[in-house]
Amino acid sequence: MKELTVHTGRSYRIKIERGLINQAGPLIRSVSKAARAAVVTDSNVAPLYAERLRVSLEAEGFTVSLFVFEAGEGSKRLSTVARMYDHFVEHSLSRTDLVVALGGGVTGDMAGFAAATYLRGIDFVQIPTSLLAQVDSSVGGKTGVDVDAGKNLVGAFWQPILVLIDPDTLSTLPKRYFADGMAEVIKYGCIKSASLFEKVASGKAAQQIEQVIYECVDIKRRVVENDERDTGERMLLNFGHTLGHALEKRYQYQTLSHGEAVGIGMVLMSTAGERRGLTKPGCALRIEQALQAYGLPVSDPTSLKELAANAGADKKSAGHVIRLILLKEIGESYLHTIPRDGLSDFLAGGIQA
């Protein structure tokens, strides 16, 4: 078993091992004295793993309830969280009980937000079942939901008490959603590890997936420890996300998956950086090739002007400026600030550094 500890305001362990869902009950019991556990999952994941998890938890004395919502980004709304609150009340969850998020990034973000706000905060555990959630969203304590103005604009920082990563769950992912997670893996290589980028750029990440997951989680762990509240270095984790989120919003979270949109965002931002002499020439092409190795798109017909407009509510905006994440080269990233109303020109190469 691979294991990491995240040292934040409330430290917790991340465990990575095949078959870990079968050990979830005793592992969660080792960090929690809760009497009740509310398992939150979606309609795709529930038939695959919910019963196995319930049996494991009940064997450790937990009284288990199951909340299942319709799978998809469209469910990531306050209305779904409100139904979670009703479920928690109906099943008598107290401040000493816990929520278990079983699923992908949407599940973890929403269940974590519900846990952060129910009774002003109860414990929760992350059991991510998608590659994107395993390498990224399950670690670091960012929780939230979407609103009409944009993605993840309502949320809270709320660290889990334990993260259990079972790579075997990836065997049930459709090919598209394995690729979706690979966009985030490629992102980690771009911003912090040239060696990781080279390891996965050929399209063979699945052959060493446990090590790939470990390296991504270790990078995120170190970044989160340095900047738990996302005021500096942690913003680097959003490379490609400013434009990626704008694309998701443009298509109303229907056409492009999160990873597909972020991949396009990384290419666009690196291309703009190269045009202005801020990014080493050739980075955008290398990112394109790595994305294409996993069948991910690298472009979109949406105009740069429309993308910039849709990015107006991005969380990295502050006053009249927006902080962009750029690459110096593969493996090294930094923050670059431009006027908020100048994003369209920057993307087109019209703003000087």
Side-chain angles (χ1 to χ4, degrees), residues 28-350:
I28 294 171
R29 178 54 78 197
S30 72
V31 297
S32 174
K33 295 181 180 180
R36 298 175 180 83
V39 176
V40 174
T41 190
D42 70 30
S43 55
N44 288 339
V45 174
L48 299 172
Y49 304 114
E51 180 62 16
R52 196 188 312 179
L53 178 59
R54 181 188 66 78
V55 169
S56 183
L57 289 168
E58 288 182 345
E60 294 299 319
F62 291 99
T63 298
V64 180
S65 63
L66 184 65
F67 179 90
V68 182
F69 64 91
E70 186 65 30
E73 188 77 29
S75 292
K76 194 177 175 184
R77 293 281 171 164
L78 287 168
S79 57
T80 309
V81 174
R83 291 193 291 113
M84 284 187 207
Y85 297 148
D86 290 341
H87 176 90
F88 297 166
V89 171
E90 179 184 350
H91 291 275
S92 303
L93 259 69
S94 71
R95 283 182 175 172
T96 58
D97 293 320
L98 81 156
V99 173
V100 181
L102 173 68
V106 170
T107 299
D109 283 3
M110 279 204 301
F113 180 62
T117 49
Y118 179 71
L119 299 178
R120 298 185 176 88
I122 65 173
D123 288 344
F124 90 110
V125 172
Q126 288 270 25
I127 305 181
T129 60
S130 71
L131 181 58
L132 187 151
Q134 290 181 356
V135 301
D136 188 68
S137 62
S138 65
V139 177
K142 276 189 177 180
T143 72
V145 295
D146 304 336
V147 295
D148 290 344
K151 187 165 180 174
N152 296 328
L153 293 183
V154 175
F157 289 97
W158 192 244
Q159 300 293 346
I161 61 170
L162 181 67
V163 180
L164 302 177
I165 297 174
D166 183 347
D168 279 347
T169 62
L170 302 180
S171 66
T172 58
L173 280 182
K175 182 179 179 181
R176 181 186 181 191
Y177 289 100
F178 181 85
D180 185 62
M182 282 309 305
E184 292 285 352
V185 172
I186 291 166
K187 176 203 76 176
Y188 276 105
C190 286
I191 64 170
K192 285 288 184 180
S193 176
S195 63
L196 174 62
F197 183 91
E198 293 300 329
K199 182 180 295 184
V200 303
S202 65
K204 299 178 180 179
Q207 299 173 12
Q208 46 191 331
I209 197 61
E210 288 173 83
Q211 182 61 29
V212 167
I213 293 169
Y214 179 88
E215 289 185 35
C216 291
V217 170
D218 192 38
I219 290 170
K220 186 159 190 182
R221 172 194 64 80
R222 287 183 271 119
V223 171
V224 168
E225 287 178 348
N226 291 335
D227 180 21
E228 182 176 356
R229 306 290 292 189
D230 201 16
T231 58
E233 183 184 5
R234 188 168 178 173
M235 292 183 186
L236 299 177
L237 298 174
N238 285 315
F239 175 54
H241 285 60
T242 294
L243 299 181
H245 286 171
L247 279 169
E248 288 182 273
K249 180 182 176 184
R250 159 73 174 79
Y251 291 111
Q252 298 181 322
Y253 308 102
Q254 299 295 317
T255 304
L256 293 172
S257 70
H258 176 70
E260 290 167 347
V262 166
I264 295 168
M266 290 191 291
V267 172
L268 288 173
M269 199 60 73
S270 297
T271 299
E274 289 182 31
R275 286 173 178 164
R276 301 314 313 148
L278 300 168
T279 297
K280 184 177 179 180
C283 286
L285 177 59
R286 292 179 67 195
I287 295 169
E288 281 189 23
Q289 292 170 338
L291 293 168
Q292 289 171 330
Y294 296 95
L296 288 160
V298 297
S299 63
D300 185 85
T302 305
S303 71
L304 296 179
K305 184 176 181 179
E306 183 177 355
L307 274 183
N310 281 335
D314 190 84
K315 297 183 294 300
K316 290 170 291 301
S317 297
H320 297 293
V321 301
I322 185 168
R323 290 162 291 194
L324 305 178
I325 295 89
L326 299 178
L327 301 184
K328 290 184 179 178
E329 58 184 340
I330 299 293
E332 186 176 358
S333 55
Y334 66 104
L335 295 174
H336 180 72
T337 300
I338 65 169
R340 187 169 181 169
D341 61 1
L343 180 57
S344 180
D345 285 342
F346 177 84
L347 294 174

